Amino acid sequence: MRGLTGPGPDRARGSWLAVIAAVASVTALALFVAACGTGGLGARDEGPAHASAAAGVVVSPAPSPSDPDKYRKVDAVQLIKNDPAVSATVKRELKPCSGNEYPVDVSYGDLTDSPVDDVVINVLTCADAVGIGSYVYRDDAGTFTNVFRTEESPVYAEIDQGRLSVTRQYYEKGDPISSPSGEIVTPYSWKAGRFTPGKSVRNEYSKSAGQAPTPVPDS
């Protein structure tokens, strides 16, 4: 067996192979730099690519959750306070938890096919974030009008795949305020200028989850 530095045709062939490998490496590097500069499948300026992009698959950008042209920010607190459809009880409970921070959750989205995004507002309690009122406002010639309200506490409304979804927790006899027995989720669809309820789903909470096992006394 010849050594790596020994004479003969084997050494010459090894030298040629080394030269070919070096040329191939330089060529591959040049192609990689060119791909980066032309926005090809190389590294992207905005960060690392997904696994599918690295494999040569074109990844479509995620759609925007809402059309920016339809979005119009509202003052949720003033909207609730100025709304005659909101009960005096909810208005009385609507006060800052700390500083100017009010316990309201606000969502924007298309629920009524309006040119402007509808607004879903949930009013909560400061102490335990229990929903005491849920409302939907629709733009009507530049003014947001109340088109849905429920104050059956505890309640929470949200936008779910283009439909209004309202969750109401329920209690059975003996349930503490912190542990309801379950919830009833009702979808609402916008039909003929109003929200129409669909079939509700009843979810019963487990009474054992989160409880520590009772120790067994030694015999």
Side-chain angles (χ1 to χ4, degrees):
M1 180 178 180
R2 299 175 185 269
L4 294 179
T5 57
D10 288 345
R11 182 179 180 183
R13 184 169 56 253
S15 299
W16 276 108
L17 290 176
V19 171
I20 293 172
V23 172
S25 298
V26 172
T27 303
L29 179 60
L31 291 174
F32 177 78
V33 173
C36 292
T38 58
L41 296 178
R44 300 178 300 173
D45 293 339
E46 64 269 24
H50 294 287
S52 55
V57 179
V58 177
V59 180
S60 299
S64 173
S66 179
D67 186 348
D69 295 334
K70 296 183 63 178
Y71 169 78
R72 183 156 69 89
K73 185 177 178 60
V74 301
D75 186 334
V77 175
Q78 288 303 316
L79 200 56
I80 293 294
K81 288 184 175 181
N82 296 334
D83 186 358
V86 177
S87 68
T89 300
V90 171
K91 290 182 180 180
R92 185 169 55 250
E93 293 295 326
L94 182 57
K95 51 190 176 183
C97 297
S98 61
N100 293 323
E101 296 296 327
Y102 283 83
V104 293
D105 286 349
V106 186
S107 299
Y108 298 86
D110 186 3
L111 291 173
T112 68
D113 295 326
S114 171
V116 178
D117 276 346
D118 304 304
V119 184
V120 179
I121 302 176
N122 288 283
V123 180
L124 316 172
T125 60
C126 286
D128 43 20
V130 172
I132 58 176
S134 299
Y135 312 89
V136 178
Y137 292 88
R138 184 178 191 270
D139 181 82
D140 183 13
T143 301
F144 281 100
T145 304
N146 189 324
V147 292
F148 178 88
R149 76 180 180 96
T150 176
E151 296 174 345
E152 300 176 23
S153 180
V155 64
Y156 197 88
E158 56 189 337
I159 301 172
D160 183 12
Q161 298 182 357
R163 291 196 301 178
L164 177 65
S165 179
V166 179
T167 300
R168 298 178 176 88
Q169 292 180 321
Y170 66 88
Y171 295 84
E172 294 179 350
K173 187 176 180 180
D175 287 344
I177 188 65
S178 60
S179 300
S181 288
E183 65 183 17
I184 297 176
V185 183
T186 305
Y188 288 81
S189 299
W190 183 257
K191 296 179 180 178
R194 57 177 294 183
F195 280 105
T196 303
K199 293 184 178 180
S200 299
V201 175
R202 182 186 182 95
N203 299 318
E204 296 182 352
Y205 298 155
S206 171
K207 295 296 184 181
S208 60
Q211 296 181 358
T214 303
V216 179
D218 296 334
S219 56

